[in-house]
Amino acid sequence: MVRFSLLCLLILAVACKGSKKEVEKEELQDDSSLVSMIADSSNAGITDSIAAVADTLHIDAAKLIGKWIQPVAGLDRETQGFQLRKNGTARSINMYTLVYEKWVLTHDTLLLWNHSEGVKDTSTIVDTTIIKELSDTSLVLFPVKAAEGYVEKYHRSN
């Protein structure tokens, strides 16, 4: 009888322990805070997001020569812009504190050297812009430090 009782207790203990493991497994599966249970996919399929893109827009520097203006934000009747000259010099149009000095075209990138007057910091800055569109009458630039999708639109002035 003692053997039978011991055997029953042993079977009961094993059965209880087994059902406890099943409950623990179910609890673990439902607990999303246990990150170690999930395979790490943080680097799966990630490729380098910086890719070299060939220049697809051929820019004729001669088409850039001239005055390019745009409306002043909030002042529809006022315009501002710049003039690009054949000798590589540039000048501001209706921007009295921003003085353009020179320009260079490299592939589809327009570099404009400028400095500010009438302000404390007069250091020279180079505006780097990508030419998105260029026709006889319009110029669309994307400043490289601008937010994606932002563009500056100019039209040719006489």
Side-chain angles (χ1 to χ4, degrees), residues 36-65:
S36 63
M37 298 293 288
I38 301 169
D40 181 15
S41 63
S42 61
N43 291 327
I46 304 275
T47 58
D48 190 2
S49 63
I50 299 173
V53 177
D55 291 333
T56 57
L57 188 60
H58 173 71
I59 305 299
D60 181 4
K63 280 189 166 184
L64 286 171
I65 305 301

Side-chain angles (χ1 to χ4, degrees), residues 4 14-15 19 21 47 49 55 60 66 77 80 86 88 90 101 108 127 138 146 148-149 151-152 158:
F4 179 72
V14 170
S19 64
K21 281 186 180 181
T47 58
S49 63
D55 291 333
D60 181 4
R77 294 182 180 199
Q80 66 184 12
K86 287 181 186 179
E101 301 162 0
D108 63 348
D127 288 336
S138 68
E148 188 175 333
V151 292
E152 295 177 354
N158 294 329

Side-chain angles (χ1 to χ4, degrees), residues 70-83:
Q70 66 182 182
V72 176
L75 301 172
D76 295 336
R77 294 182 180 199
E78 298 293 323
T79 58
Q80 66 184 12
F82 52 88
Q83 179 181 11

Side-chain angles (χ1 to χ4, degrees), residues 130 132-133 140-153:
I130 306 297
K132 293 294 189 179
E133 294 177 30
V140 178
L141 300 175
F142 169 69
V144 294
K145 292 187 178 180
E148 188 175 333
Y150 173 81
V151 292
E152 295 177 354
K153 297 179 181 184

Side-chain angles (χ1 to χ4, degrees), residues 4 17 19 24 46-47 52 69 73 96 109 114 116 122 126 139 143:
F4 179 72
K17 192 173 184 180
S19 64
E24 285 177 358
I46 304 275
T47 58
I69 59 172
Y96 304 106
T109 304
N114 66 74
S116 296
T122 59
V126 180
L139 172 64

Side-chain angles (χ1 to χ4, degrees), residues 8 14 34 47 59 74 99 103 125 155:
C8 286
V14 170
L34 300 173
T47 58
I59 305 299
V99 179
W103 68 279
I125 297 171
H155 66 274

Side-chain angles (χ1 to χ4, degrees), residues 8-43:
C8 286
L9 282 174
L10 184 61
I11 292 174
L12 184 61
V14 170
C16 287
K17 192 173 184 180
S19 64
K20 186 177 178 184
K21 281 186 180 181
E22 287 175 15
V23 170
E24 285 177 358
K25 281 183 184 178
E26 287 175 11
E27 287 174 358
L28 290 176
Q29 288 173 351
D30 293 337
D31 189 356
S32 63
S33 68
L34 300 173
V35 178
S36 63
M37 298 293 288
I38 301 169
D40 181 15
S41 63
S42 61
N43 291 327

